[in-house]
Amino acid sequence: MTESGRAPQPSLSELIEAKAAELTRKLPYADVFEEKKAILTQWFFNKDYFTMGSASAMACILTHPLDLVKVRFQLQGELRPPGKYPVVYRNIPQAMAAVTADQGPLALYRAIAPAFVYQFLMNTVRALVFEKCNRWGLTSDLDEEPVLWRYAAACALSGSAGAVVASTAYLAKIQTQSQAGPKLAVGWQHNHSKSRWVVWNAFRDRKGYLKGGFQGGTSAVMRISVASTVQLLSFTTIQHGMYALGVHDAILNSCLSGVISSIPVVLISNPFDVICTRMYNQELGAYYKSNRECAEKLFQREGWRGFYKGAVANYCRTVPHMIVTLLIWDHFRKRSLDLSLINQSLSFEFQPEKEFEKDHKEILSKFES
């Protein structure tokens, strides 16, 4: 109490601090304003390539069992004529039930760790390279109008870069997914105890990245570059067509476009996918010396249908993976927008103290606005 009997009035700085604290408590995601955590969180959500890689990796939680079954279908009857080998995997439900009965339910998530790493690395690099191509004007002409063949070239380039960076993780994923018990074994069986030993053995036995860690890398470059090009062009075309038909909701439009555009993606890329799986899964040079030799042997001994082994499982995995990735990415982008708005609301520019000769009510009304 002062001599006049009145309570002391808080200073202007104390009022400002109290009001800012009150506003912060009311804001969503207020916990992110913890110094370094706030900076790191905002930086992460503002990078589209990181959020895309993270969203694709998270989608593996849903689609990994389908991916494992797809690999088993593609390796079944390798280099053997149709009807000359036992069919242990007939369809998706039967294959998943067989794997569960033989090795337990967790066997459907075999190699989930390298799958996470692969999806994050591949999609992060792919999105980053494509973003740079777009920013540097490589996808448009001198009038800044988009050019179709340049977009296709940027997709192929970004997909190739992602495949190269993530090749070793894909090697660990494929060789671990193919491992099974004697009743369900298909393809070459490496018998790695854990996924990380795939990489270690590849480097130790073959002395270097190009011979061991990059096994099958050229087939992955072909597969991802083709799939990326077809995916973006078909998805964009169908998305615009759906919008013209009156589907204006962004989420619904993206989901329907993903379902339809996955058909040409699987039809065109599945032959490359089969070649890629077999090049990665074999003991280096045991069956095939090159991608061309793999394609020739596959056609001669299994016929054209051999190129489309696992196509149904590939489609059933591609559609939900694309949709879930887009939904998670959309959530990340909304979170990024929320964080930027919160940051703007708290970034006040104060003038020197000599200019603060205004009434307290006027100061507080500025905060309220």
Side-chain angles (χ1 to χ4, degrees), residues 52-54 56-58 60 64 67 70 111-126 159-174 177 217 219-221 223-225 227-228 273 276 280 317 321:
M52 176 57 74
S54 301
S56 182
M58 291 178 184
C60 287
H64 190 76
D67 187 56
K70 180 203 74 170
I112 186 66
F116 263 86
V117 175
Y118 167 73
Q119 288 292 339
F120 177 78
L121 289 177
M122 192 270 290
N123 285 287
T124 298
V125 173
R126 182 167 62 168
S160 300
V164 170
V165 173
S167 178
T168 305
Y170 196 71
L171 175 70
K173 182 182 86 73
I174 291 295
Q177 284 179 322
S219 62
V221 168
R223 167 183 167 265
I224 299 298
S225 59
S228 298
D273 200 2
C276 184
Y280 272 99
R317 176 236 168 231
H321 190 90

Side-chain angles (χ1 to χ4, degrees), residues 113-150:
F116 263 86
V117 175
Y118 167 73
Q119 288 292 339
F120 177 78
L121 289 177
M122 192 270 290
N123 285 287
T124 298
V125 173
R126 182 167 62 168
L128 174 61
V129 174
F130 186 81
E131 179 187 312
K132 296 299 181 184
C133 290
N134 216 5
R135 184 176 299 177
W136 294 339
L138 301 179
T139 58
S140 57
D141 56 19
L142 296 177
D143 297 326
E144 298 185 356
E145 292 293 329
V147 181
L148 183 62
W149 71 267
R150 291 193 174 191

Side-chain angles (χ1 to χ4, degrees), residues 152-277:
C155 290
L157 176 62
S158 59
S160 300
V164 170
V165 173
S167 178
T168 305
Y170 196 71
L171 175 70
K173 182 182 86 73
I174 291 295
Q175 291 193 4
T176 308
Q177 284 179 322
S178 66
Q179 291 183 196
K183 295 181 181 179
L184 301 179
V186 291
W188 191 283
Q189 295 295 296
H190 294 271
N191 298 319
H192 301 293
S193 59
K194 292 185 178 180
S195 299
R196 62 174 177 268
W197 295 116
V198 179
V199 182
W200 170 253
N201 292 335
F203 278 79
R204 183 191 63 184
D205 298 339
R206 291 143 200 167
K207 298 180 181 180
Y209 177 71
L210 293 178
K211 289 185 178 180
F214 197 63
Q215 174 185 331
T218 53
S219 62
V221 168
M222 291 193 303
R223 167 183 167 265
I224 299 298
S225 59
V226 170
S228 298
T229 304
V230 177
Q231 186 180 47
L232 182 64
L233 296 180
S234 60
F235 181 82
T236 305
T237 303
I238 294 171
Q239 194 176 40
H240 285 112
M242 298 294 291
Y243 190 85
L245 291 174
V247 184
H248 297 161
D249 182 77
I251 300 297
L252 180 61
N253 191 316
S254 297
C255 292
L256 293 176
S257 300
V259 171
I260 299 172
S261 64
S262 295
I263 297 175
V265 171
V266 171
L267 287 175
I268 296 174
S269 68
N270 201 79
F272 297 96
D273 200 2
V274 174
I275 293 172
C276 184
T277 297

Side-chain angles (χ1 to χ4, degrees), residues 6-71:
R6 296 181 181 179
Q9 292 292 325
S11 65
L12 181 58
S13 60
E14 291 174 343
L15 281 173
I16 292 174
E17 256 185 75
K19 196 61 183 177
E22 181 184 347
L23 287 174
T24 304
R25 284 194 299 271
K26 294 179 181 179
L27 291 170
Y29 316 119
D31 57 318
V32 300
F33 293 100
E34 299 173 5
E35 299 182 7
K36 294 181 180 180
K37 182 181 176 182
I39 298 173
L40 181 61
T41 304
Q42 195 167 7
W43 178 85
F44 172 83
F45 284 111
N46 284 335
K47 302 296 182 182
D48 277 346
Y49 43 88
F50 272 120
T51 55
M52 176 57 74
S54 301
S56 182
M58 291 178 184
C60 287
I61 298 174
L62 175 66
T63 61
H64 190 76
L66 291 167
D67 187 56
L68 181 137
V69 170
K70 180 203 74 170
V71 170

